[in-house]
């Protein structure tokens, strides 16, 4: 027997098909058109059985077998028929499946198959679609070509896919045996943003491709607006591109600036490298080199970026920005910066020399890593002068309030206990006052029911609804001015305090058929205070002196109450209107309370001026935990809350939609039967709504029903007494209004895609460093990220606050008002031009404190923007033209000039 090759079941199937084709050739069949078909399918397993691994007979395939039946007491003898077959040289190691919408032509003599009309060919992990395909059985070569119209314009390209690789070409030639291919006029995509064009592309393996006349770009057009062109390029798929001499081209026009070689990272993962700087001009600091630095990937869990700015007049800044992430455990980033500012030259009247620092830290942990335990940090602290000297960033320049928090919390999941330990910080850059709270400890116990039966049977007894809870906190605080900071003086400002609260509640069954809910309550609270603050009149110096006494001082309070709550519903129905009904819900609440006077000894009366005028103060004024109010209270408190809703019929069907007109409005007050005078307390009014989910309005105010004396102090006489009716005077209040409108997107799919891309960016832990840098850059350069898919947008907010405050000489009260407005908007002047602006107006000074406007030009894969801040102490001009792609965000032209008009 001749020596035969071993081959698989699929190879045998291919050989059988070859025999069938040759048999057809002997019948003088030269060509035949065949409809949709699949070829080279393997035979079924029950038809051909491979030989056993233990069979020593070489090159034998079992075609069929039978068993001769003998009596049960006889031996069974297996009879096997075999034959041998050589493996053809053109045999493939897997079946080829094909589909053609038009027709399939089999050329028997030439052993070729021609596919026409939206064809699809599949082989192992390869999928090819093209208008025309030729399969050569003898050479195992597949050729796919594109189709053109009568004018020679391409109608449909040939498209090749293998695993994550894909490309589009005019012509594709692929050898199934060697798995090598050659294509012409090819476009392949690497990642989400990179496109590589090549006149001739040779694929030598699954990973390596050689390109002749290569063009590297992020423009997704067949004829890109710009590219980096090289005669030769080697692509290692999804990893790296390497080329010889290369240069830029814009609209086919070459830029005569060459680089000797090019290295193009194609991986979507992080990689180390230099950070390209940009230039800017600053009137006070000179010519600047901005953003020069290095980015280093340390390992899979953290990376670091070091960068800085240098100016010709001597100013500089340096930042270190590490980021870290461990999936399903924690993630965070830190940014520490040093800034030395030198404005103008020495000897100049406006010369300024300042050193400052900044520290930003953000950390969050995954709740699944340690259930019940959480550690989080959000730190934003700096020198109080740091924000003032940050160039070209009005948003930061006007940010005067900074706050930080580092928190550890533990929740006992099987018990009603919760522990929180935190360190907090806040600072006012305008007053330069810094407050530090370290540590700040809080412990709470949720409501427990000590008399509740473990194994309850039947209805609960009333005493089983008796609940007890506990809340406690402890805090340390130091305060200092950073311009006069001395460590030995910190202890002089140290304050500490604690607070405890023990509420007891009882849930009783509703009365009147459930219409009224009755809830009695008892509470006891206590504060520990570290110092007393007293004022005394100095008759000799004719002025007020203050005295601070340190120690441990305790103030306490107890209260007893009974509350009644119900709800009243009213509905008005419409007959001939899309509005079917309007419902008004009134929720009155009445409570009776008693509070003994346990704080009387902590209040005192002292003379405040030479006229003998006296005022009453608390000796715990200014403490971390202020003491409780003096006086016994025994009376009732009353509150009414309302909301209004309506239902509207749908235009499309019979369904109804609920629309909230007013989220809530009402008032509250109380009456003290035990008070000697002024038994009626102040009225608190509030209102809030979100009309049509577009206009958000909230307001609150305090109404004082009493008349005042010559110094503005309340007297025991109502404002409506004395002949003329007067409802009272407003002592404090605020109102805020905000709204935003935007047009519908031109393309809903683009809007959804952009939203999904932002979600993916936020959810990918491997890109946390890149996402933070991109988001920071977007905040600083909003005009470079204009969404031309939204034709127009507008936002407006307004706030007003007023209050009565003691005059410095205690001669009366002064009413202080503060109001401001923020506005912004964007408008597409044409499909390619956009104008946007935003600003802040202060009604107290009647000036626009900051205003920024920008004009942007859409250029498909590039974008141009001009930013101008013409008013305010921080003014600058910026011109930028850059690619939209985040990968090439450093390939931009940027010119910036800054001006400062005051500090």
């Amino acid at each position: 027997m001749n020596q035969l090759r071993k081959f698989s079941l699929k190879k045998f199937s291919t050989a059988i098909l070859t025999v069938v084709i040759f048999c057809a050739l002997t019948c003088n069949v030269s060509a035949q058109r065949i409809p949709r078909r699949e070829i080279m399918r393997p035979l079924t397993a029950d038809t051909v059985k491979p030989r056993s691994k233990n069979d020593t007979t070489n090159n034998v395939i079992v075609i069929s077998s039978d068993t001769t039946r003998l009596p049960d007491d006889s031996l069974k003898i297996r009879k096997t028929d075999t034959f041998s077959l050589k493996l053809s040289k053109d045999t493939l190691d897997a079946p080829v499946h094909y589909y053609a919408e038009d027709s399939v032509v089999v050329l028997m003599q030439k052993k070729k198959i021609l596919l026409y009309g939206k064809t699809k060919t599949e082989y192992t992990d390869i999928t090819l679609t093209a208008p025309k395909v030729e399969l050569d059985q003898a050479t195992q070569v597949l050729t796919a070509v594109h189709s053109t119209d009568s004018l020679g314009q391409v109608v449909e390209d040939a498209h090749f896919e293998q695993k994550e690789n894909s490309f589009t070409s005019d012509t594709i030639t692929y050898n199934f045996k060697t798995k090598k291919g050659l294509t012409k006029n090819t476009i392949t995509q690497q990642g989400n943003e990179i496109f590589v064009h090549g006149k001739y592309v040779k694929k030598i393996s699954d990973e390596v491709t050689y390109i002749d006349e290569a063009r590297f770009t992020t423009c997704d057009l067949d004829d890109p607006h710009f590219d980096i062109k090289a005669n030769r390029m080697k692509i290692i798929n999804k990893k790296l591109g390497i080329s010889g001499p290369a240069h830029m081209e814009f609209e086919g026009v070459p830029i005569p600036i060459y680089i000797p070689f090019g290295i193009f990272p194609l991986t979507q993962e992080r990689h180390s490298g230099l950070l390209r700087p940009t230039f800017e001009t600053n009137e006070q600091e000179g010519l600047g080199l901005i953003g020069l630095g290095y980015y280093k990937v340390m390992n899979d869990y953290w990376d670091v970026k070091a960068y800085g700015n240098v100016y010709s007049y001597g100013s500089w800044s340096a930042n270190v920005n590490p980021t870290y992430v461990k999936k399903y455990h924690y993630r965070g980033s830190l940014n520490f910066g040093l800034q030395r500012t030198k404005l103008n030259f020495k000897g100049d009247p406006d010369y300024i020399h300042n050193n400052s620092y900044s520290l930003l830290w953000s950390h969050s942990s995954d709740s699944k890593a340690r259930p019940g335990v959480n550690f989080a940090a959000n730190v934003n602290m700096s020198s109080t002068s740091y924000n003032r000297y940050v160039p070209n960033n009005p948003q930061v320049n006007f940010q005067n309030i900074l706050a930080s928090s580092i928190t550890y919390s533990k929740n006992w999941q099987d018990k009603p206990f919760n522990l929180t330990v935190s360190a907090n910080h806040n600072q006012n850059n305008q007053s330069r006052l810094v407050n530090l709270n370290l540590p700040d400890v809080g412990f709470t116990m949720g409501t427990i029911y000590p008399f509740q039966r473990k194994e309850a049977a039947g209805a609960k007894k009333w005493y089983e609804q008796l609940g007890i809870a506990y809340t406690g906190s402890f805090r340390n605080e130091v305060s200092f001015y950073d311009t006069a900071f001395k460590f030995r003086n910190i202890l002089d400002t140290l304050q500490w305090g604690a607070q405890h609260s023990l509420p007891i509640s009882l849930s009783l069954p509703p009365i009147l058929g459930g219409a009224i809910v009755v809830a009695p309550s008892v509470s006891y609270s206590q504060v520990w205070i570290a110092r007393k603050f007293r004022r005394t009149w100095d008759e000799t110096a004719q002025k007020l002196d203050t005295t601070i006494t340190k120690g441990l001082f305790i103030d306490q309070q107890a209260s007893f109450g009974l509350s009644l709550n119900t709800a009243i519903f009213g509905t008005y129905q419409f007959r001939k209107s899309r509005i079917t009904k309007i419902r008004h819900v009134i929720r009155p609440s009445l409570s009776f309370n008693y509070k003994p006077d346990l704080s009387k000894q902590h209040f005192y009366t002292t003379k405040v001026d030479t006229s003998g005028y006296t005022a009453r103060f608390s000796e715990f004024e200014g403490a971390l935990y202020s003491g409780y109010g003096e006086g016994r209270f025994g009376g009732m408190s009353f509150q009414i809350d309302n909301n209004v809703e309506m239902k509207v019929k749908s235009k499309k069907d019979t369904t109804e939609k609920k629309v909230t007109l007013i989220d809530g409005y009402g008032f509250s007050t109380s009456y003290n039967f035990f008070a000697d005078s002024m038994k009626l307390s102040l009225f608190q009014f509030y209102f809030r709504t979100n009309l049509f989910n577009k206009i958000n309005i909230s307001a609150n105010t305090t109404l004082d029903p009493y008349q005042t004396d010559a110094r503005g102090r309340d007297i025991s006489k109502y404002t409506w007494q004395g002949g003329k009716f007067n409802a009272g005077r407003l002592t404090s209040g605020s109102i805020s209004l905000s709204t935003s409108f935007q047009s519908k997107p031109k393309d809903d799919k683009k809007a959804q895609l952009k939203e999904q891309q932002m979600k993916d960016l936020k959810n990918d832990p491997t890109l946390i460093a890149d996402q933070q840098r991109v988001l920071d850059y977007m905040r600083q350069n909003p005009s470079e990220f204009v969404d031309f898919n939204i034709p127009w947008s507008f936002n407006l907010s307004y706030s007003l606050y007023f209050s009565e405050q003691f005059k410095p000489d205690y001669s009366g009260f002064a009413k202080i008002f503060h109001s401001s407005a923020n506005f912004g908007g964007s408008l597409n002047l044409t499909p390619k031009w956009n104008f946007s602006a935003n600003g802040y107006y202060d009604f107290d000074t009647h000036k626009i404190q900051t205003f920024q406007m920008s004009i942007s030009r859409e250029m498909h894969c590039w974008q141009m923007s001009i930013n101008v801040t013409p008013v305010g102490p921080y003014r600058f001009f910026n011109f930028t033209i850059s690619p939209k792609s985040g990968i090439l965000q450093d390939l931009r032209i940027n010119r910036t000039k800054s001006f400062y008009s005051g500090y």
Side-chain angles (χ1 to χ4, degrees), residues 102-121:
D102 185 358
S103 60
V104 177
V105 177
V106 178
L107 304 177
M108 296 297 185
Q109 294 179 350
K110 295 182 179 180
K111 300 174 63 176
K112 293 183 178 181
I113 300 174
L114 305 180
L115 311 178
Y116 294 95
K118 293 185 179 179
T119 71
K120 182 176 182 181
T121 307

Side-chain angles (χ1 to χ4, degrees), residues 656-680:
E656 294 182 347
K657 180 181 178 181
K658 183 172 70 173
V659 178
T660 301
L661 297 179
I662 302 177
D663 293 324
Y665 69 95
F667 73 95
S668 63
T669 187
S670 62
Y671 191 87
N672 186 4
F673 294 102
F674 292 164
D676 296 333
S677 60
M678 293 186 289
K679 297 183 178 182
L680 182 64

Side-chain angles (χ1 to χ4, degrees), residues 241-527:
I242 304 171
S243 76
H247 66 280
M248 294 280 294
E249 281 192 358
F250 289 91
E251 297 288 356
V253 179
I255 304 298
I257 300 176
Y258 282 76
I259 56 176
F261 61 91
I263 298 177
F264 306 91
L266 303 178
T267 177
Q268 294 296 298
E269 300 176 353
R270 304 168 298 161
H271 51 273
S272 303
L274 290 172
L275 301 175
R276 189 184 72 85
T278 59
F279 291 93
E280 73 172 31
T281 303
N282 189 296
E283 189 178 40
Q284 275 73 27
E285 298 177 277
L287 181 64
L289 191 65
I290 310 302
L292 176 64
Y294 189 81
Y295 172 70
K296 175 66 177 177
V297 178
M298 309 303 293
N299 53 39
D300 292 339
Y301 301 105
W302 72 288
D303 56 25
V304 63
K305 182 178 75 164
Y307 61 97
N309 307 329
V310 180
Y311 291 90
S312 58
Y313 290 177
S315 296
W316 58 266
S317 65
N319 291 75
V320 178
N321 177 207
T323 60
Y324 54 90
V325 58
K326 189 172 183 181
K327 201 171 183 180
Y328 306 121
H329 286 81
Y330 54 79
R331 63 173 54 193
S333 65
L334 184 142
N335 193 327
F336 178 73
L338 295 175
Q339 182 175 255
R340 168 169 288 187
T341 304
K342 290 184 178 181
L343 305 181
N344 303 306
F345 295 99
K346 287 185 178 180
D348 192 300
D350 297 325
Y351 175 75
I352 293 177
H353 182 195
N354 178 268
N355 296 325
S356 56
Y357 74 92
S358 171
L359 176 63
L360 302 174
W361 180 31
S362 175
H363 177 93
S364 62
S365 57
D366 195 319
S367 59
K368 298 177 182 178
R370 296 184 63 188
V373 177
N374 183 57
F375 178 77
N378 187 5
V379 176
N380 182 8
M381 63 184 303
S382 67
S383 303
T384 55
S385 59
Y386 183 89
N387 286 359
R388 181 181 303 179
Y389 298 114
V390 174
N392 307 328
N393 201 329
Q395 290 83 3
V396 173
N397 299 147
F398 285 96
Q399 187 178 5
N400 289 322
I401 305 298
L402 304 181
S404 307
S405 176
I406 303 174
T407 306
Y408 168 85
S409 62
K410 179 174 177 58
N411 179 26
W412 285 263
Q413 296 181 342
D414 56 340
K415 298 179 181 179
F417 303 123
N418 182 274
L419 173 67
T420 302
V421 181
S422 63
N424 302 301
H425 146 271
N426 65 80
Q427 68 182 62
N428 188 316
N429 291 342
Q430 190 169 5
S431 65
R432 299 195 171 185
L433 178 65
V434 180
N435 299 313
L436 295 177
N437 296 325
L438 178 68
D440 193 338
V441 182
F443 180 80
T444 61
M445 180 186 73
T447 304
I448 61 174
Y449 300 91
F451 303 111
Q452 195 173 69
R453 291 170 290 176
K454 294 183 179 180
E455 297 180 359
K460 292 183 179 180
K461 305 296 183 181
W462 67 269
Y463 54 82
E464 292 184 273
Q465 302 297 318
L466 183 67
I468 302 174
Y470 170 78
T471 302
S473 61
F474 174 83
R475 182 183 301 171
N476 268 323
E477 182 180 277
V478 294
S479 302
F480 58 89
Y481 291 93
D482 72 339
T483 53
F485 174 79
K486 291 183 179 179
F487 186 78
R488 64 175 180 270
N489 295 335
I490 289 182
L491 294 179
D492 294 336
T493 66
L494 174 65
Q495 288 194 73
W496 62 269
Q499 185 175 30
H500 312 274
S501 178
L502 187 70
I504 301 174
S505 61
L506 178 63
S507 298
L508 297 178
I511 61 176
L512 298 179
I516 299 178
V517 178
V518 182
S521 63
V522 178
S523 68
Y524 174 79
S525 57
Q526 188 181 86
V527 291

Side-chain angles (χ1 to χ4, degrees), residues 601-614:
Q601 68 273 21
H602 301 304
F603 286 80
Y604 64 96
T605 302
T606 185
K607 182 179 175 181
V608 296
D609 60 17
T610 55
S611 66
Y613 183 78
T614 61

Side-chain angles (χ1 to χ4, degrees), residues 699-802:
N700 64 81
T701 187
T702 300
L703 180 69
D704 190 339
Y706 295 102
Q707 298 182 20
T708 60
D709 58 14
R711 292 177 176 264
R713 190 167 60 174
D714 287 352
I715 60 176
S716 185
K717 190 175 182 180
Y718 295 117
T719 55
W720 50 82
Q721 294 178 335
K724 292 184 178 180
F725 177 79
N726 189 341
R729 75 180 195 281
L730 302 178
T731 59
S732 65
S734 67
I735 182 171
S736 62
L737 180 148
S738 63
T739 184
S740 63
F741 298 92
Q742 72 174 35
S743 63
K744 292 183 178 180
K746 296 179 181 178
D747 190 335
D748 291 332
K749 292 183 178 180
K750 285 185 179 180
Q752 294 173 2
L753 179 61
K754 182 177 180 180
E755 183 179 354
Q756 185 61 42
Q757 288 176 344
M758 292 302 296
K759 288 182 180 179
D760 294 342
L761 181 65
K762 293 179 180 179
N763 295 331
D764 190 347
T766 63
L767 299 177
I768 183 172
D770 294 330
Q771 92 176 235
Q772 186 60 47
R773 280 190 287 273
V774 171
L775 292 176
D776 289 342
Y777 187 82
M778 288 176 66
R779 281 192 290 266
Q780 296 177 14
N781 303 274
S783 60
E784 294 184 33
F785 299 88
V786 174
D787 189 356
F788 283 87
N789 196 35
I790 305 296
W792 61 269
S793 64
F794 174 76
N795 64 82
L796 174 68
S797 64
Y798 172 80
S799 63
L800 169 68
Y801 169 79
F802 69 93

